[in-house]
Structures are given as structure tokens and as C-alpha cells.
Amino acid sequence: MQSSSLMDKLVSLAKRRGFVFQSSEIYGGLNGCWDYGPLGVELLRNVKEQWWRAMTLREDIEGIDASILMHPRVWEASGHVENFTDPMVDCRECKARFRADQVEDSPCGSPAYKGRKASKCQAEGKFTEARQFNLMFKTFVGPVEDASAVVYLRPETAQGIYVNFLNVQSSSRQKPPFGIAQIGKAFRNEINTKNFLFRTREFEQMEMQFFVKPGSDEEWFGYWKEQRLQWFTGLGITPTKLQFHRHEPDKLAHYAKDAYDIEYEFPFGWGEIEGIHNRTDFDLSRHEQFSGKSMKYFDEQSKEKYTPFIIETSAGASRSFMAFLVDAYREEEAPTADGKMETRTVMRFHPKLAPVKAAIFPLVNRDGMPEMARSLETDLRKSLRVFYDDSGAVGRRYRRQDEVGTPFCITIDSDTLKDQTVTVRDRDTMVQERVNMDNVARYLNDKLQ
Ligand code: GAP
């Protein structure tokens, strides 16, 4: 399938079935912002929940939830005020704005020149000189809008962890090596947003900062690199569609000693979904310098005082969501009820991520089947998100659930009335099993583990 057509199909399915909507759509949308619909919010929450569990069920990781607005000095210490910039150029003719390093990949901004590359306009001398543009969104605290009231919407969640390092360490009585995990919104005033959820202005990050003794940093860096790759494959991402990309020494961020991206092969090419960085003692040292407060750890046993090195794992929740969405999409040949073949669209989400875990169908709307189906639904709803559907042929109902990735469909039929068993149909194999009604909850919970 052509990559553009796959993306078009995904964006259309995402809207039609309630995964993702354009923000403020009735007003023409707001560029770089998206809303998660009823199924999207479930999928996103499941992604975040799996990450949170993978991190905080460990003995050596604590969670926090820091505020989005922070003291402005935080962003001077972190280097964001000085360095968090992209080079920007403007077209004098059509007034479109481009990232100077992405002109080659960008279309011209004028509708009058359809299909024209921005690089052609640049070659014709229509562009301004490149200027540095800071990506942080600014706002003001309090009623007076002057320079002393400026604060930023955080462009990453990491700084909320660094400034709380000693608070968390002392309150939880952790000793390095240990980590702090956080999930939260981040904001970047990207010059060009693109590729659906890939580059947006508002997004969520899932970041974990692991504090280690200097000298053990390289070993922990290798450990976290592998752990994070396994997290994606463990949740069903096709392993051949994942790769590491190491940052060349001259491309490393100002804080990093070593860095790898985990990249996913999207229909538009390989793109970063997570970064693993060895940030050395840069962050804690800078916060010590700018705040005047010690950020060192004192080891009671060895009587050593040191500034821990930080190994960072920084995943985009929204980008991971998009990778899970793309990876799940399949068009397959499947038999219909009368033995013919048809193409079904199926989202092969890992059961732990699937927005709806099971659908319940009465075969017909009579003979006591709806009552039995409703009773099973009430029972399952106590612990699972399920969907009741009694409209149309069962084959059609299966297809509707396949398209949103529901792993199990349960049908109440005439045999249920006689022997209290139901059919449970597996989304991927399409094989049906008869299960006693009383055992359905346990059966599903076992499968979902
Ligand atoms: N604390 C380090 C940090 O923020 P980053 O590589 O700039 O590193 C980490 O961002 C992750 O955040 C990326 O791998 C990506 O998944 C996500 N991310 C960054 N910018 C994004 C954007 N504009 N839209 C969506 N996700 C983004």
C-alpha cells in the first residue's frame, strides 16, 4: 500500500471511529493540536498505564506529577532559554514560515504554486536570512503582563523531576541508583507541525530519569536502552519496524554524553518515538549553580558526596500512540458467514492496549437472548471496558469490532439458552470457542494478562 494512502486511511479511521479529532474542528482547526475521542482516550490511557506500571512497579523507581508552570530560572538553568531554538526562514512572497533545516522537505506555502517545493522559492532568493526562534510558549503569571511575570509552558517534563530530585530521594529514602518517573503534557511552538500526531505543539511525554553514581552511567545507559526497546516489542510492535539511531558526537544535545533514539518505521519513513540520553551531571550541576542549593547526594555508608549522573528515557505518549495505531492496522482477507471472502480492516492492538476488551452480542433480539447478554455485560463491566451491540448481522458486528481492535467478541445464541455456554471469538485467529457463561470473566482476564 502507498504510504500516503495508508496515512489517509488511518487518519480517516481515527476520526470515523472516535480515536482522534482535529482540535476545534468546527472553527477550522488549530494547527498542531489534536483531541482524543472516546476510543483514542482509552488507547492513550492504556499506553500510559502500561508505561507507568513498567516503571513504578519496580522497587527502584518513584513517580511524581510536577506542575506545568515552573519558576522561569528553571529554563535558564536547563539551557532552554538559550538553546531551545530552531532556525527559521520566511518567504517574502507568500509569507509562509519554514524551519531552515526542513526547507527541502516542505511544500511552497502559496496555493497559487501547487506542487512546488519550498526549496525552489529559496533558490529564487525569496527567503529571508535564517533567524533563531525559541520554541517555548510564553505566558504571564498574575495580572501584569510585563517581563517580570513571564513564565513558560514546560517544553519537557524532565525539569520537574530534576528540581525535585532531593525531595523525592529523601522522602522515599531511595539511594542511587534509582529513578523518578513522570507522565505529563509538554508544549513546543514548533515552526512546522506535520504527519498527524508526530509533530504537534501540545503533546504528552512519559519520562523517567535514573540517578546513578558517576562511573556506573555507561552500564545503566546500556541497560535502559534495551529495556525500552523491549517495552515496545512486549506490547506487540513489529520488531523489524523498530531501530536504534545513535546521535553522532557533533549532533548531541548540549547536555548529552551519549544518546540513542528508538525509531519506528512510519508510512512516511523512520521517526523518533523515544530518546535515551546519558545526561551526565549537567542538569543537577546547573540547578545547583542557578538556585544556589546543593543538589548533591550524600552516601551515609561510604561517606561520599557526589552529583549523580542521569540516564534519561524520554518517550512521547502521543508518538507512541501513533506508532501503536500504525502498527496495528491490517487489511486482510477473511471469510463471510456464507463462505465467500472479503477484505476486513483489523486493528491488531495488543489486548492490554485495546480500547475495548470485549463486545457482547445477542444473536437475535428475542427468545431471552438480550436478557442473558445484558446480564453478562453487567457482570463484565465491573472490571472491563466492554461494548454491547445488537444491531445487524453478527458478521457485520464482528467487522465493526475488528476495525477498532476489540480482541474478543462474545455471542449469546440458542445453545446458551440450553447449556449456559457462549461463543468467544478471537479477533486475530477468528477461531470461536465455547465457554461457560460463569467462566467468561476469568477467561477474559487470563487472556488479557
Ligand atoms: N527530556 C528530553 C526530551 O524532551 P526530546 O527528544 O526533545 O527529548 C522526547 O523529546 C520525546 O518527546 C520524543 O522522542 C518524542 O516522542 C516526543 N516529542 C518531542 N517533540 C514532540 C512533538 N513536537 N510532538 C509530539 N511528540 C514530541
Side-chain angles (χ1 to χ4, degrees), residues 257-296:
K257 167 175 163 186
D258 201 355
Y260 280 84
D261 293 338
I262 298 179
E263 295 185 332
Y264 179 76
E265 191 178 16
F266 289 102
F268 48 81
W270 290 94
E272 173 194 341
I273 50 176
E274 171 157 354
I276 296 110
H277 313 127
N278 182 344
R279 299 182 66 121
T280 67
D281 59 0
F282 176 86
D283 305 282
L284 294 181
S285 301
R286 290 277 289 194
H287 284 304
E288 181 167 296
Q289 188 191 331
F290 279 69
S291 69
K293 305 273 169 15
S294 170
M295 298 299 279
K296 293 189 177 58

Side-chain angles (χ1 to χ4, degrees), residues 53-72:
R53 291 176 71 86
M55 291 296 174
T56 63
L57 292 187
R58 294 170 59 115
E59 194 183 8
D60 57 359
I61 296 185
E62 307 290 340
I64 70 161
D65 189 358
S67 62
I68 287 173
L69 300 178
M70 300 178 75
H71 195 289

Side-chain angles (χ1 to χ4, degrees), residues 32 80 84 155-159 162 186-190 192-193 197-207 209 247 255 261-262 272-277 279 312-320:
H80 282 81
F84 199 54
E156 62 171 15
T157 59
Q159 300 301 326
Y162 305 145
F187 304 83
R188 297 185 186 178
N189 199 0
E190 300 282 358
N192 293 131
T193 57
L197 304 172
F198 187 78
R199 177 160 291 115
T200 55
R201 296 199 166 108
E202 175 177 341
F203 54 96
E204 269 185 292
Q205 289 187 316
M206 308 184 288
E207 295 198 304
Q209 315 292 329
H247 291 211
Y255 51 74
D261 293 338
I262 298 179
E272 173 194 341
I273 50 176
E274 171 157 354
I276 296 110
H277 313 127
R279 299 182 66 121
E312 167 178 68
T313 71
S314 174
S318 338
R319 270 197 204 168
S320 304

Side-chain angles (χ1 to χ4, degrees), residues 57-317:
L57 292 187
R58 294 170 59 115
E59 194 183 8
D60 57 359
I61 296 185
E62 307 290 340
I64 70 161
D65 189 358
S67 62
I68 287 173
L69 300 178
M70 300 178 75
H71 195 289
R73 288 280 282 167
V74 167
W75 306 108
E76 289 173 35
S78 68
H80 282 81
V81 170
E82 196 184 338
N83 297 315
F84 199 54
T85 56
D86 276 337
M88 178 180 74
V89 287
D90 291 287
C91 177
R92 289 195 195 89
E93 187 178 322
C94 74
K95 310 291 178 226
R97 197 157 265 188
F98 303 93
R99 248 174 78 166
D101 54 346
Q102 291 178 354
V103 170
E104 284 300 323
D105 305 329
S106 308
C108 160
S110 165
Y113 295 118
K114 209 163 178 270
R116 184 182 165 110
K117 287 258 183 221
S119 51
K120 191 145 196 289
C121 308
Q122 188 176 37
E124 289 171 7
K126 293 181 183 164
F127 281 15
T128 59
E129 287 297 309
R131 289 172 291 144
Q132 289 301 324
F133 170 76
N134 195 296
L135 301 187
M136 282 195 293
F137 279 100
K138 271 187 199 164
T139 185
F140 302 93
V141 280
V144 183
E145 297 196 357
D146 67 13
S148 67
V150 166
V151 290
Y152 302 97
L153 300 191
R154 66 181 177 200
E156 62 171 15
T157 59
Q159 300 301 326
I161 296 182
Y162 305 145
V163 298
N164 278 301
F165 161 62
L166 286 177
N167 284 338
V168 174
Q169 183 275 318
S170 56
S171 59
S172 59
R173 297 171 60 223
Q174 288 278 6
K175 300 182 175 116
F178 82 97
I180 306 177
Q182 176 169 214
I183 299 177
K185 291 257 183 176
F187 304 83
R188 297 185 186 178
N189 199 0
E190 300 282 358
I191 298 170
N192 293 131
T193 57
K194 62 177 180 181
N195 291 330
F196 193 32
L197 304 172
F198 187 78
R199 177 160 291 115
T200 55
R201 296 199 166 108
E202 175 177 341
F203 54 96
E204 269 185 292
Q205 289 187 316
M206 308 184 288
E207 295 198 304
M208 193 279 299
Q209 315 292 329
F210 205 71
F211 300 85
V212 304
K213 196 169 175 185
S216 64
D217 51 306
E218 288 178 18
E219 198 181 321
W220 279 110
F221 182 70
Y223 169 83
W224 277 112
K225 207 175 124 231
E226 291 312 318
Q227 288 291 307
R228 294 305 307 144
L229 190 74
Q230 280 170 26
W231 183 78
F232 285 104
T233 54
L235 287 171
I237 292 255
T238 313
T240 52
K241 291 198 165 251
L242 289 171
Q243 69 178 20
F244 280 121
H245 164 77
R246 189 177 197 170
H247 291 211
E248 296 300 326
D250 60 329
K251 295 265 161 50
L252 282 173
H254 58 277
Y255 51 74
K257 167 175 163 186
D258 201 355
Y260 280 84
D261 293 338
I262 298 179
E263 295 185 332
Y264 179 76
E265 191 178 16
F266 289 102
F268 48 81
W270 290 94
E272 173 194 341
I273 50 176
E274 171 157 354
I276 296 110
H277 313 127
N278 182 344
R279 299 182 66 121
T280 67
D281 59 0
F282 176 86
D283 305 282
L284 294 181
S285 301
R286 290 277 289 194
H287 284 304
E288 181 167 296
Q289 188 191 331
F290 279 69
S291 69
K293 305 273 169 15
S294 170
M295 298 299 279
K296 293 189 177 58
Y297 169 74
F298 179 66
D299 187 329
E300 297 282 354
Q301 257 168 350
S302 66
K303 306 292 178 213
E304 277 177 285
K305 202 177 201 184
Y306 61 86
T307 307
F309 271 34
I310 294 172
I311 308 303
E312 167 178 68
T313 71
S314 174

Side-chain angles (χ1 to χ4, degrees), residues 420-433:
Q420 309 286 304
T421 64
V422 296
T423 63
V424 183
R425 179 254 198 192
D426 180 287
R427 174 196 69 200
D428 299 340
T429 60
M430 293 183 276
V431 169
Q432 302 185 14
E433 251 188 276

